[in-house]
Amino acid sequence: MSNPGETSSKRPLRVAIVGAGPAGVYAADILTKSNEVKGGDFEVSIDLFEAYPAPYGLIRYGVAPDHPRIKGIVNALHKVLDRGDIRFLGNVTYGRDLTLHDFRAFYDAVIFSTGAIKDAQLDIPGIELEGSFGGADFVSWYDGHPDVPREWPLDAKEIAVIGNGNVALDVARMLVKHADELLTTEIPDNVYQGLKNSPVTDVHVFGRRGPAQVKFTPLELRELSHMKDVDIVLYPEDFEFDEASDDAIRSNNQIKTMVNTLTNWLVEEHAEAEEPSSRRLHLHFLHSPVEIYEDADNGGAGKVAGIKFERMQLDGTGNVKGTGEMVDYPVQAVYRAIGYHGSALDELEYDARRGVVPNEGGRVLDAEGNPVPGIYTTGWIKRGPVGLIGHTKGDALETIGFLLEDRLTLPPAQNPDPQAIIHLLEERGIEYTTWEGWNKLDAHEAALGAAWTGTDGTNGVVRERIKVVPREEMISISRE
């Protein structure tokens, strides 16, 4: 049997990346542009696998459609995949269509970049009531995820959103914004119709800590003020600052900007025009959720009727402690948006508490804590769902650095022929999609936008694209 190093040096190093979101695309790009590859030390051949028929992962299915910066990120990812040196294979699910054994047979190294799409759990009484939702599930619905139901129960007038990060603000904004404002985005028609018929009047966003400890960004905050016919409501009693808050405001421009924006809104709202808006977005701080309750006495058994919070106070360090004071808010729906959580992957160890695959700098570890040869991870499944999209670049750089370091000792693929994996997919009847297929679907979605004619006086709206939702339709357009 030949030495693994020799095997790798006589042919391109075969690498599979599982997950075609930003983390996976960045990893592929960094590997192809590494000094070792550019300098001719070795060649690399990369296949990028994705469970959905379309690429881009969280950019397509996890970011609010009205974000102005999405387009720039999509364009950057498109440029990488359009070069032709990274092969995209969509509609292929790890653990179902292909196993770790399959990947081992066809590749020298496998990088898992499967992200995190589930909601972090909130363990309070009443969380299971009808009308209690995970924010991530709602995001999947309004982003036209192919594997979630087409309908969403939007029948609440008053809604609570728990969380103080960007996802909480996205969820709140999508719930309170008038649907016609979203027509310029790529939202599918079923989402537009659902939001258009929503009777919502008030959305309340609750955070445990103070205004100086929020986790969203200035851009997210500013977007709230651009909504038409929506008033932003703040409460003076929530504006508490301790020593740590003052330090943070002094030393961090981002925090200073957000606190200034919030306090300006607080002052301005009392000088608003006399004509109130039809909808309100309330921002609450220093509220810790205690219980979601039903109203069984009035026929509301099993359904959300309100939510109880304990008022908190800052403790001097930027953390909070309870005051014992309880406050109730009558709401008919509750969305928890306290973070995402990664899912376990077949045949790999899993840290259920953190929702990650145990690893050291991207080298996947076994049950004993030893690196598993040839298996790597990057992105949120590597480090947990924290940070912005750009942070995954540094993450990928670290992982690829270790893969390059290990390249001469990787367990060689038994069948490194790039066509071999295609034969296996076809043999198993898997309707995989390709980059050429994505370009067809991309053009189709743009054509749907161009052909769209609005109703209810929205005829003048220009739509760049309309997202195709059903998986079968995505596959058939991509493969025709």
Side-chain angles (χ1 to χ4, degrees):
M1 189 178 191
S2 62
N3 171 301
E6 283 177 11
T7 311
S8 303
S9 62
K10 286 177 184 171
R11 59 166 173 80
L13 186 78
R14 290 283 286 143
V15 178
I17 299 176
V18 182
V25 177
Y26 290 149
D29 189 38
I30 287 165
L31 181 53
T32 57
K33 288 178 177 169
S34 65
N35 292 334
E36 292 85 342
V37 171
K38 284 201 309 194
D41 291 8
F42 73 104
E43 287 177 49
V44 68
S45 162
I46 301 172
D47 286 344
L48 184 62
F49 290 87
E50 173 54 59
Y52 308 125
Y56 307 145
L58 201 67
I59 295 294
R60 185 171 166 95
Y61 294 123
V63 180
D66 58 348
H67 269 317
R69 67 174 182 271
I70 300 181
K71 206 174 288 179
I73 297 168
V74 166
N75 289 344
L77 300 179
H78 180 94
K79 273 183 192 160
V80 173
L81 293 179
D82 208 41
R83 292 196 310 246
D85 57 348
I86 297 158
R87 184 166 64 174
F88 172 75
L89 295 167
N91 200 41
V92 180
T93 300
Y94 172 74
R96 185 191 70 198
D97 299 330
L98 293 175
T99 64
L100 189 61
H101 176 79
D102 295 326
F103 279 111
R104 289 259 192 220
F106 298 102
Y107 299 93
D108 305 299
V110 188
I111 303 171
F112 288 92
S113 57
T114 50
I117 56 163
K118 286 187 178 168
D119 281 287
Q121 292 304 306
L122 177 64
D123 191 15
I124 59 170
I127 199 75
E128 74 299 328
L129 289 172
E130 184 185 329
S132 169
F133 305 105
D137 292 337
F138 182 58
V139 172
S140 290
W141 175 74
Y142 68 58
D143 271 334
H145 192 297
D147 300 336
V148 301
R150 301 282 182 275
E151 305 306 314
W152 189 272
L154 288 162
D155 44 21
K157 286 190 170 184
E158 299 154 305
I159 300 170
V161 177
I162 301 169
N164 250 180
N166 285 342
V167 176
L169 283 200
D170 281 353
V171 165
R173 200 176 64 254
M174 290 296 289
L175 285 165
V176 80
K177 201 172 196 174
H178 290 279
D180 283 356
E181 275 199 78
L182 294 163
L183 278 173
T184 54
T185 75
E186 61 184 24
I187 60 165
D189 285 334
N190 66 301
V191 175
Y192 169 66
Q193 293 302 338
L195 292 170
K196 176 100 175 147
N197 297 326
S198 167
V200 68
T201 59
D202 293 81
V203 174
H204 299 261
V205 182
F206 295 96
R208 282 186 75 247
R209 300 198 289 167
Q213 286 79 38
V214 294
K215 295 291 184 198
F216 37 76
T217 55
L219 179 67
E220 294 280 343
L221 194 58
R222 280 197 299 272
E223 279 177 14
L224 298 183
S225 63
H226 298 154
M227 295 183 291
K228 290 177 189 156
D229 191 34
V230 178
D231 286 337
I232 295 171
V233 185
L234 295 136
Y235 298 85
E237 64 271 24
D238 290 347
F239 281 73
E240 185 182 299
F241 301 96
D242 61 359
E243 201 177 316
S245 303
D246 293 337
D247 287 347
I249 293 164
R250 269 196 304 271
S251 62
N252 185 313
N253 276 337
Q254 182 163 305
I255 293 170
K256 183 181 180 180
T257 301
M258 286 192 290
V259 169
N260 284 344
T261 302
L262 290 165
T263 46
N264 286 342
W265 286 352
L266 182 65
V267 172
E268 284 165 13
E269 74 177 77
H270 301 294
E272 283 291 335
E274 283 168 30
E275 192 63 45
S277 298
S278 67
R279 292 179 176 181
R280 288 157 295 282
L281 177 65
H282 307 254
L283 300 179
H284 303 268
F285 306 103
L286 301 167
H287 281 69
S288 183
V290 173
E291 179 192 4
I292 301 168
Y293 55 85
E294 59 190 347
D295 186 4
D297 297 341
N298 293 305
K303 294 181 179 175
V304 170
I307 182 166
K308 185 189 292 289
F309 291 89
E310 181 178 8
R311 291 281 309 176
M312 309 303 281
Q313 63 185 33
L314 292 163
D315 67 0
T317 70
N319 288 315
V320 287
K321 57 187 179 185
T323 64
E325 180 195 342
M326 298 293 166
V327 278
D328 280 23
Y329 293 86
V331 294
Q332 301 83 53
V334 174
Y335 289 76
R336 66 182 185 280
I338 55 170
Y340 283 87
H341 201 72
S343 305
L345 292 165
D346 279 14
E347 300 180 75
L348 299 182
E349 289 300 310
Y350 177 64
D351 179 340
R353 188 182 61 79
R354 293 180 57 223
V356 298
V357 169
N359 68 90
E360 263 177 22
R363 285 181 174 124
V364 169
L365 304 176
D366 64 17
E368 280 73 52
N370 301 313
V372 182
I375 307 294
Y376 302 87
T377 185
T378 192
W380 279 5
I381 198 65
K382 168 186 173 182
R383 63 186 162 86
V386 288
L388 301 173
I389 288 159
H391 293 152
T392 48
K393 278 187 181 168
D395 228 21
L397 205 55
E398 180 184 54
T399 296
I400 295 303
F402 283 124
L403 189 154
L404 290 169
E405 211 174 278
D406 301 341
R407 73 182 187 277
L408 297 180
T409 57
L410 294 170
Q414 294 145 25
N415 191 345
D417 177 1
Q419 275 308 109
I421 190 72
I422 300 297
H423 294 323
L424 181 69
L425 292 172
E426 286 170 353
E427 215 174 88
R428 291 183 179 173
I430 295 158
E431 293 184 296
Y432 65 90
T433 60
T434 61
W435 182 246
E436 294 69 34
W438 161 247
N439 283 327
K440 285 181 195 169
L441 180 58
D442 192 23
H444 178 81
E445 291 187 343
L448 288 178
W452 188 86
T453 311
T455 53
D456 304 331
T458 55
N459 288 22
V461 173
V462 175
R463 302 201 68 182
E464 280 192 26
R465 67 189 297 125
I466 298 174
K467 208 179 260 182
V468 171
V469 182
R471 186 182 278 261
E472 309 71 43
E473 197 181 331
M474 292 171 75
I475 293 165
S476 95
I477 293 164
S478 301
R479 287 175 62 92
E480 67 188 15

